[in-house]
Amino acid sequence: MDIGIDRLGFYVPKKYIDLVELANKRNVDPNKFTIGIGQSKQAVPDLYQDAVTMAAESADQVLNDDNRKDIGLVIVGTESSVDESKAAATYLVELLNLPEEVRAFEIKEACYGATAGLQMAYNFVAMNPDKKALVIASDIARYGVNTPGEVTQGAGSVAMLVSENPHILKLNNKSVYMTRNVGDFWRPTFSKTAFARGKYSNEVYVDFFKTLWKKFQDKYDVTADDFSTMLFHIPYTKMGMKALRTLEGNIPDDKYNELSDHYQASIEISRNVGNLYTGSLYLGLISYLINGDVKPNEQISLFSYGSGAVGEIYSAEIQPDYTGFLNIDFIKKELSDRQKISISDYEDIFGKEVKNGDVTVLSDVHDKYYLSEIKENERLYKKLK
Ligand code: COA
């Protein structure tokens, strides 16, 4: 049975900052941000937005009256959860008008959460071929104003509808994974911003890639020649490049050049949005599907990494008619219609927090789903009529 991603949705906040302007404000050479880190723009979510509202926005794009009733599993992968107890997925069942007969929950393991969800969804559909699963990656990456990690912030959400006979990506059920207790990045429950040993995180990430890529080749008797594209977890676009570069000189030059070209297509959107945390790998997939010279039935590998740390490499096959199931024009328009805000406006938004008793003013809302108020310490959400 063929199982995989049938539809993909992507949500990006409507505001962004220009990283050259950020560099100037922080007295840093702009080339460090645009070349050294590899980022150009960074999404800035509004105060009425969080992991729940952004998840609803991307999921809304993959649902219709036909497939809604078949959803049996809803998983939100996030590391910017709004509640220590209640899962973001439970809000979505109401906001998205999903059937009550679903399993809905949240998965946390840094940027690996959505991949854990996707593999679980694969198993769910294998056992229940008449059902579909909704897996959503939704995050706001926050390191703090004037911190080394600031340039690697971002926000957004990717939704994946997983089903039998998928139209976008068939998962090959070939995968290798590993876990090590590593202190490269974490966010304690008391903190709104992450703590990172950034350079150490790079080292662990590259080491995980090298270890898993060797395991994958040994387990399935394949080489780089069996893939025309390798997708990576891309919290910032230079990071995936560091992993890809470990292949240079170890595989034929032609193959390395092909993989590098395809990598460039896969980072185009991330460069202009920033860090989606667990959605980053899947934004890379969307970017490649939109910007790459994609061949029918192309074989790809995907490297997922979540600090802490869990890593996985799995393989998949791009389906020939995927363009009908990914709203390319819509995504391009959402990206191009965004509004640039000043660095001081971003700092102002970053420093604010919605508190108990606050009610969102409707005229401030520029999205479909929003946090309407916090009442008796409970977050309440609404959809614009
Ligand atoms: N022009 C071009 N490149 C420049 C430059 C300039 N003027 N100045 C610096 N650079 C390059 C550096 O050579 C370096 O490249 P390299 O990584 O290939 O060696 C890169 O820019 C970053 O410079 P660096 O001095 O290492 O930056 P930093 O100390 O500010 O830290 C991060 C950068 C990425 C480590 C930091 O932003 C961070 O910690 N981010 C969080 C990342 C993280 O932990 N993610 C975990 C999730 S997987």
Side-chain angles (χ1 to χ4, degrees):
M1 186 197 310
D2 289 350
I3 299 170
I5 301 173
D6 190 54
R7 283 166 188 267
L8 274 167
F10 166 54
Y11 171 77
V12 62
K14 302 254 181 307
K15 293 176 180 160
Y16 74 89
I17 52 169
D18 184 312
L19 293 188
V20 171
E21 289 178 17
L22 182 69
N24 289 335
K25 184 88 183 267
R26 302 286 178 255
N27 287 320
V28 170
D29 179 353
N31 287 342
K32 173 173 173 181
F33 287 1
T34 56
I35 301 167
I37 301 286
Q39 293 298 126
S40 302
K41 294 175 183 169
Q42 184 175 105
V44 179
D46 261 301
L47 276 171
Y48 60 80
Q49 299 190 291
D50 59 25
V52 173
T53 65
M54 295 191 305
E57 297 282 354
S58 65
D60 195 52
Q61 294 164 33
V62 302
L63 294 171
N64 57 38
D65 289 344
D66 233 18
N67 60 29
R68 206 179 298 266
K69 63 182 184 330
D70 299 330
I71 307 282
L73 177 68
V74 186
I75 302 176
V76 175
T78 184
E79 55 184 301
S80 20
S81 189
V82 296
D83 198 292
E84 294 295 336
S85 170
K86 182 167 174 161
T90 57
Y91 296 105
L92 299 183
V93 171
E94 183 182 351
L95 284 172
L96 300 168
N97 202 15
L98 295 170
E100 215 172 67
E101 199 187 332
V102 291
R103 291 187 184 126
F105 54 91
E106 195 171 294
I107 290 185
K108 172 180 70 185
E109 181 6 62
C111 303
Y112 176 72
T115 300
L118 185 61
Q119 298 297 0
M120 201 172 270
Y122 180 99
N123 294 336
F124 174 79
V125 173
M127 299 301 287
N128 306 276
D130 56 327
K131 294 280 186 191
K132 299 181 198 305
L134 186 57
V135 179
I136 311 159
S138 186
D139 270 310
I140 301 177
R142 286 168 63 94
Y143 289 81
V145 168
N146 215 352
T147 61
E150 183 179 32
V151 65
T152 65
Q153 296 180 149
S157 166
V158 173
M160 301 177 261
L161 186 70
V162 180
S163 74
E164 194 185 13
N165 300 323
H167 286 98
I168 296 182
L169 196 69
K170 184 179 99 177
L171 305 187
N172 294 340
N173 198 18
K174 290 183 177 168
S175 130
V176 292
Y177 38 84
M178 63 189 278
T179 298
R180 275 185 205 152
N181 182 16
V182 176
D184 62 332
F185 170 105
W186 62 100
R187 185 170 68 83
T189 45
F190 64 78
S191 180
K192 295 265 175 235
T193 50
F195 293 77
R197 297 189 176 107
K199 284 173 189 155
Y200 177 53
S201 188
N202 278 334
E203 284 169 27
V204 180
Y205 172 93
V206 170
D207 186 44
F208 265 52
F209 173 71
K210 281 162 65 179
T211 307
L212 288 168
W213 176 232
K214 175 150 188 354
K215 272 184 203 278
F216 193 91
Q217 291 178 96
D218 292 346
K219 184 171 176 185
Y220 297 110
D221 193 23
V222 292
T223 68
D225 279 328
D226 293 292
F227 299 96
S228 52
T229 300
M230 287 185 166
L231 299 177
F232 295 84
H233 166 52
I234 30 175
Y236 57 98
T237 69
K238 180 72 155 303
M239 197 149 168
M241 198 65 212
K242 285 174 191 276
L244 181 59
R245 274 192 190 142
T246 62
L247 301 180
E248 194 172 12
N250 294 316
I251 60 174
D253 287 351
D254 285 359
K255 179 49 67 177
Y256 182 74
N257 293 338
E258 181 190 10
L259 294 174
S260 297
D261 286 351
H262 291 197
Y263 179 70
Q264 292 307 320
S266 79
I267 61 176
E268 188 53 40
I269 299 183
S270 289
R271 176 185 286 285
N272 291 296
V273 169
N275 198 349
L276 255 62
Y277 280 162
T278 190
S280 298
L281 170 62
Y282 300 96
L283 183 55
L285 170 64
I286 291 174
S287 184
Y288 181 63
L289 293 173
I290 293 178
N291 301 305
D293 179 18
V294 182
K295 305 279 182 305
N297 303 103
E298 193 173 317
Q299 297 294 321
I300 68 170
S301 71
L302 298 97
F303 171 51
S304 180
Y305 175 82
S307 291
V310 182
E312 177 158 348
I313 290 184
Y314 63 97
S315 66
E317 182 183 304
I318 298 176
Q319 299 304 285
D321 299 325
Y322 75 85
T323 50
F325 297 84
L326 173 68
N327 201 337
I328 294 175
D329 292 341
F330 175 81
I331 292 173
K332 283 184 173 168
K333 192 163 177 333
E334 289 290 297
L335 284 164
S336 66
D337 283 357
R338 291 179 298 163
Q339 175 205 357
K340 187 175 83 167
I341 59 168
S342 68
I343 303 304
S344 20
D345 282 352
Y346 138 72
E347 289 171 350
D348 189 44
I349 294 172
F350 197 95
K352 283 187 182 148
E353 199 185 327
V354 188
K355 296 197 179 60
N356 187 34
D358 286 354
V359 178
T360 300
V361 178
L362 217 53
S363 56
D364 290 342
V365 177
H366 308 291
D367 291 88
K368 213 181 218 177
Y369 298 93
Y370 63 101
L371 174 71
S372 62
E373 62 181 304
I374 304 184
K375 191 177 174 185
E376 294 169 32
N377 286 305
E378 186 184 11
R379 294 175 83 87
L380 301 175
Y381 295 92
K382 280 193 178 152
K383 180 182 179 181
L384 270 189
K385 296 275 177 297

mmCIF file of all heavy atoms in Angstrom, residues 235-260:
data_model
loop_
_atom_site.group_PDB
_atom_site.id
_atom_site.type_symbol
_atom_site.label_atom_id
_atom_site.label_comp_id
_atom_site.label_asym_id
_atom_site.label_seq_id
_atom_site.Cartn_x
_atom_site.Cartn_y
_atom_site.Cartn_z
ATOM 1 N N PRO A 235 17.071 25.252 10.312
ATOM 2 C CA PRO A 235 16.730 26.372 11.202
ATOM 3 C C PRO A 235 17.278 27.687 10.654
ATOM 4 O O PRO A 235 16.712 28.744 10.877
ATOM 5 C CB PRO A 235 17.391 26.003 12.529
ATOM 6 C CG PRO A 235 18.394 24.961 12.217
ATOM 7 C CD PRO A 235 17.953 24.278 10.955
ATOM 8 N N TYR A 236 18.402 27.613 9.968
ATOM 9 C CA TYR A 236 18.905 28.719 9.134
ATOM 10 C C TYR A 236 19.647 28.041 7.991
ATOM 11 O O TYR A 236 20.146 26.912 8.124
ATOM 12 C CB TYR A 236 19.772 29.695 9.925
ATOM 13 C CG TYR A 236 20.967 29.111 10.608
ATOM 14 C CD1 TYR A 236 22.240 29.185 10.038
ATOM 15 C CD2 TYR A 236 20.841 28.469 11.837
ATOM 16 C CE1 TYR A 236 23.347 28.658 10.671
ATOM 17 C CE2 TYR A 236 21.950 27.927 12.469
ATOM 18 C CZ TYR A 236 23.193 28.020 11.890
ATOM 19 O OH TYR A 236 24.281 27.474 12.515
ATOM 20 N N THR A 237 19.720 28.716 6.844
ATOM 21 C CA THR A 237 20.042 27.958 5.631
ATOM 22 C C THR A 237 21.491 27.469 5.581
ATOM 23 O O THR A 237 21.791 26.513 4.895
ATOM 24 C CB THR A 237 19.709 28.765 4.348
ATOM 25 O OG1 THR A 237 20.624 29.852 4.254
ATOM 26 C CG2 THR A 237 18.287 29.274 4.370
ATOM 27 N N LYS A 238 22.385 28.133 6.343
ATOM 28 C CA LYS A 238 23.769 27.666 6.368
ATOM 29 C C LYS A 238 23.893 26.314 7.063
ATOM 30 O O LYS A 238 24.800 25.535 6.775
ATOM 31 C CB LYS A 238 24.610 28.715 7.114
ATOM 32 C CG LYS A 238 26.095 28.426 7.246
ATOM 33 C CD LYS A 238 26.775 28.588 5.919
ATOM 34 C CE LYS A 238 28.238 28.909 5.965
ATOM 35 N NZ LYS A 238 28.665 30.070 6.682
ATOM 36 N N MET A 239 22.955 26.012 7.973
ATOM 37 C CA MET A 239 23.103 24.812 8.805
ATOM 38 C C MET A 239 23.016 23.527 7.968
ATOM 39 O O MET A 239 23.845 22.625 8.106
ATOM 40 C CB MET A 239 22.064 24.796 9.916
ATOM 41 C CG MET A 239 22.407 23.824 11.018
ATOM 42 S SD MET A 239 21.777 24.394 12.603
ATOM 43 C CE MET A 239 21.985 22.945 13.609
ATOM 44 N N GLY A 240 22.012 23.446 7.101
ATOM 45 C CA GLY A 240 21.893 22.264 6.245
ATOM 46 C C GLY A 240 23.104 22.120 5.338
ATOM 47 O O GLY A 240 23.572 21.005 5.054
ATOM 48 N N MET A 241 23.619 23.277 4.907
ATOM 49 C CA MET A 241 24.801 23.277 4.030
ATOM 50 C C MET A 241 25.997 22.613 4.705
ATOM 51 O O MET A 241 26.784 21.918 4.067
ATOM 52 C CB MET A 241 25.143 24.735 3.675
ATOM 53 C CG MET A 241 26.036 24.910 2.487
ATOM 54 S SD MET A 241 25.181 24.338 1.013
ATOM 55 C CE MET A 241 26.538 23.743 0.061
ATOM 56 N N LYS A 242 26.098 22.819 6.023
ATOM 57 C CA LYS A 242 27.217 22.220 6.764
ATOM 58 C C LYS A 242 27.133 20.698 6.706
ATOM 59 O O LYS A 242 28.160 20.022 6.616
ATOM 60 C CB LYS A 242 27.196 22.687 8.230
ATOM 61 C CG LYS A 242 27.654 24.115 8.445
ATOM 62 C CD LYS A 242 27.443 24.509 9.907
ATOM 63 C CE LYS A 242 27.619 25.993 10.116
ATOM 64 N NZ LYS A 242 29.000 26.408 10.289
ATOM 65 N N ALA A 243 25.924 20.162 6.764
ATOM 66 C CA ALA A 243 25.757 18.702 6.680
ATOM 67 C C ALA A 243 26.021 18.222 5.249
ATOM 68 O O ALA A 243 26.760 17.252 5.024
ATOM 69 C CB ALA A 243 24.345 18.317 7.115
ATOM 70 N N LEU A 244 25.451 18.949 4.288
ATOM 71 C CA LEU A 244 25.630 18.548 2.880
ATOM 72 C C LEU A 244 27.116 18.535 2.500
ATOM 73 O O LEU A 244 27.582 17.635 1.788
ATOM 74 C CB LEU A 244 24.842 19.506 1.976
ATOM 75 C CG LEU A 244 24.876 19.232 0.469
ATOM 76 C CD1 LEU A 244 24.326 17.831 0.156
ATOM 77 C CD2 LEU A 244 24.086 20.286 -0.303
ATOM 78 N N ARG A 245 27.847 19.524 3.001
ATOM 79 C CA ARG A 245 29.278 19.650 2.656
ATOM 80 C C ARG A 245 30.119 18.450 3.093
ATOM 81 O O ARG A 245 31.213 18.244 2.573
ATOM 82 C CB ARG A 245 29.856 20.917 3.283
ATOM 83 C CG ARG A 245 29.630 22.112 2.391
ATOM 84 C CD ARG A 245 30.455 23.291 2.888
ATOM 85 N NE ARG A 245 30.046 24.483 2.182
ATOM 86 C CZ ARG A 245 29.948 25.679 2.718
ATOM 87 N NH1 ARG A 245 30.249 25.850 3.993
ATOM 88 N NH2 ARG A 245 29.570 26.700 1.992
ATOM 89 N N THR A 246 29.610 17.671 4.047
ATOM 90 C CA THR A 246 30.384 16.500 4.481
ATOM 91 C C THR A 246 30.474 15.465 3.354
ATOM 92 O O THR A 246 31.289 14.557 3.402
ATOM 93 C CB THR A 246 29.769 15.830 5.740
ATOM 94 O OG1 THR A 246 28.451 15.368 5.409
ATOM 95 C CG2 THR A 246 29.709 16.781 6.914
ATOM 96 N N LEU A 247 29.609 15.620 2.341
ATOM 97 C CA LEU A 247 29.632 14.673 1.216
ATOM 98 C C LEU A 247 30.633 15.087 0.140
ATOM 99 O O LEU A 247 31.036 14.271 -0.701
ATOM 100 C CB LEU A 247 28.240 14.557 0.575
ATOM 101 C CG LEU A 247 27.101 14.094 1.500
ATOM 102 C CD1 LEU A 247 25.798 14.026 0.721
ATOM 103 C CD2 LEU A 247 27.423 12.735 2.107
ATOM 104 N N GLU A 248 31.029 16.371 0.154
ATOM 105 C CA GLU A 248 31.909 16.888 -0.890
ATOM 106 C C GLU A 248 33.240 16.128 -0.895
ATOM 107 O O GLU A 248 33.885 15.972 0.155
ATOM 108 C CB GLU A 248 32.173 18.389 -0.670
ATOM 109 C CG GLU A 248 32.794 19.057 -1.875
ATOM 110 C CD GLU A 248 32.857 20.582 -1.715
ATOM 111 O OE1 GLU A 248 32.632 21.098 -0.602
ATOM 112 O OE2 GLU A 248 33.150 21.239 -2.741
ATOM 113 N N GLY A 249 33.609 15.628 -2.071
ATOM 114 C CA GLY A 249 34.849 14.856 -2.182
ATOM 115 C C GLY A 249 34.662 13.377 -1.861
ATOM 116 O O GLY A 249 35.524 12.559 -2.161
ATOM 117 N N ASN A 250 33.522 13.046 -1.218
ATOM 118 C CA ASN A 250 33.252 11.644 -0.873
ATOM 119 C C ASN A 250 32.260 10.986 -1.820
ATOM 120 O O ASN A 250 32.004 9.782 -1.719
ATOM 121 C CB ASN A 250 32.710 11.540 0.563
ATOM 122 C CG ASN A 250 33.754 11.945 1.570
ATOM 123 O OD1 ASN A 250 34.912 11.541 1.453
ATOM 124 N ND2 ASN A 250 33.374 12.756 2.532
ATOM 125 N N ILE A 251 31.641 11.815 -2.679
ATOM 126 C CA ILE A 251 30.739 11.289 -3.710
ATOM 127 C C ILE A 251 31.168 11.932 -5.040
ATOM 128 O O ILE A 251 31.900 12.936 -5.024
ATOM 129 C CB ILE A 251 29.245 11.612 -3.394
ATOM 130 C CG1 ILE A 251 29.003 13.134 -3.316
ATOM 131 C CG2 ILE A 251 28.808 10.948 -2.099
ATOM 132 C CD1 ILE A 251 27.537 13.515 -3.144
ATOM 133 N N PRO A 252 30.752 11.374 -6.195
ATOM 134 C CA PRO A 252 31.167 11.985 -7.462
ATOM 135 C C PRO A 252 30.802 13.473 -7.524
ATOM 136 O O PRO A 252 29.747 13.873 -7.022
ATOM 137 C CB PRO A 252 30.386 11.181 -8.508
ATOM 138 C CG PRO A 252 30.061 9.886 -7.838
ATOM 139 C CD PRO A 252 29.910 10.189 -6.370
ATOM 140 N N ASP A 253 31.681 14.287 -8.141
ATOM 141 C CA ASP A 253 31.464 15.736 -8.193
ATOM 142 C C ASP A 253 30.117 16.100 -8.825
ATOM 143 O O ASP A 253 29.426 17.010 -8.357
ATOM 144 C CB ASP A 253 32.588 16.418 -9.003
ATOM 145 C CG ASP A 253 33.885 16.431 -8.211
ATOM 146 O OD1 ASP A 253 33.849 16.075 -7.010
ATOM 147 O OD2 ASP A 253 34.935 16.764 -8.801
ATOM 148 N N ASP A 254 29.758 15.386 -9.908
ATOM 149 C CA ASP A 254 28.486 15.678 -10.579
ATOM 150 C C ASP A 254 27.313 15.535 -9.624
ATOM 151 O O ASP A 254 26.376 16.341 -9.618
ATOM 152 C CB ASP A 254 28.246 14.703 -11.748
ATOM 153 C CG ASP A 254 29.118 15.063 -12.925
ATOM 154 O OD1 ASP A 254 29.864 16.055 -12.804
ATOM 155 O OD2 ASP A 254 29.042 14.344 -13.955
ATOM 156 N N LYS A 255 27.371 14.446 -8.847
ATOM 157 C CA LYS A 255 26.280 14.190 -7.895
ATOM 158 C C LYS A 255 26.257 15.275 -6.820
ATOM 159 O O LYS A 255 25.195 15.800 -6.473
ATOM 160 C CB LYS A 255 26.471 12.791 -7.291
ATOM 161 C CG LYS A 255 25.450 12.359 -6.264
ATOM 162 C CD LYS A 255 23.998 12.544 -6.653
ATOM 163 C CE LYS A 255 23.508 11.671 -7.783
ATOM 164 N NZ LYS A 255 22.067 11.843 -8.054
ATOM 165 N N TYR A 256 27.455 15.648 -6.339
ATOM 166 C CA TYR A 256 27.508 16.682 -5.293
ATOM 167 C C TYR A 256 26.945 18.010 -5.828
ATOM 168 O O TYR A 256 26.180 18.700 -5.149
ATOM 169 C CB TYR A 256 28.935 16.885 -4.773
ATOM 170 C CG TYR A 256 28.978 17.914 -3.681
ATOM 171 C CD1 TYR A 256 28.493 17.617 -2.408
ATOM 172 C CD2 TYR A 256 29.448 19.212 -3.932
ATOM 173 C CE1 TYR A 256 28.470 18.579 -1.407
ATOM 174 C CE2 TYR A 256 29.427 20.175 -2.930
ATOM 175 C CZ TYR A 256 28.945 19.853 -1.671
ATOM 176 O OH TYR A 256 28.911 20.808 -0.680
ATOM 177 N N ASN A 257 27.292 18.336 -7.087
ATOM 178 C CA ASN A 257 26.795 19.586 -7.677
ATOM 179 C C ASN A 257 25.274 19.551 -7.843
ATOM 180 O O ASN A 257 24.587 20.546 -7.599
ATOM 181 C CB ASN A 257 27.461 19.843 -9.029
ATOM 182 C CG ASN A 257 28.947 20.132 -8.848
ATOM 183 O OD1 ASN A 257 29.367 20.531 -7.766
ATOM 184 N ND2 ASN A 257 29.748 19.902 -9.896
ATOM 185 N N GLU A 258 24.757 18.400 -8.244
ATOM 186 C CA GLU A 258 23.301 18.257 -8.395
ATOM 187 C C GLU A 258 22.616 18.454 -7.025
ATOM 188 O O GLU A 258 21.641 19.213 -6.901
ATOM 189 C CB GLU A 258 22.969 16.867 -8.962
ATOM 190 C CG GLU A 258 21.483 16.639 -9.175
ATOM 191 C CD GLU A 258 21.144 15.175 -9.496
ATOM 192 O OE1 GLU A 258 22.024 14.281 -9.373
ATOM 193 O OE2 GLU A 258 19.977 14.932 -9.853
ATOM 194 N N LEU A 259 23.152 17.778 -5.998
ATOM 195 C CA LEU A 259 22.553 17.895 -4.656
ATOM 196 C C LEU A 259 22.636 19.330 -4.153
ATOM 197 O O LEU A 259 21.699 19.837 -3.527
ATOM 198 C CB LEU A 259 23.258 16.944 -3.674
ATOM 199 C CG LEU A 259 23.078 15.439 -3.937
ATOM 200 C CD1 LEU A 259 23.945 14.625 -2.967
ATOM 201 C CD2 LEU A 259 21.613 15.014 -3.811
ATOM 202 N N SER A 260 23.760 20.007 -4.442
ATOM 203 C CA SER A 260 23.912 21.405 -3.997
ATOM 204 C C SER A 260 22.906 22.315 -4.695
ATOM 205 O O SER A 260 22.296 23.187 -4.056
ATOM 206 C CB SER A 260 25.317 21.932 -4.304
ATOM 207 O OG SER A 260 26.249 21.207 -3.595
#
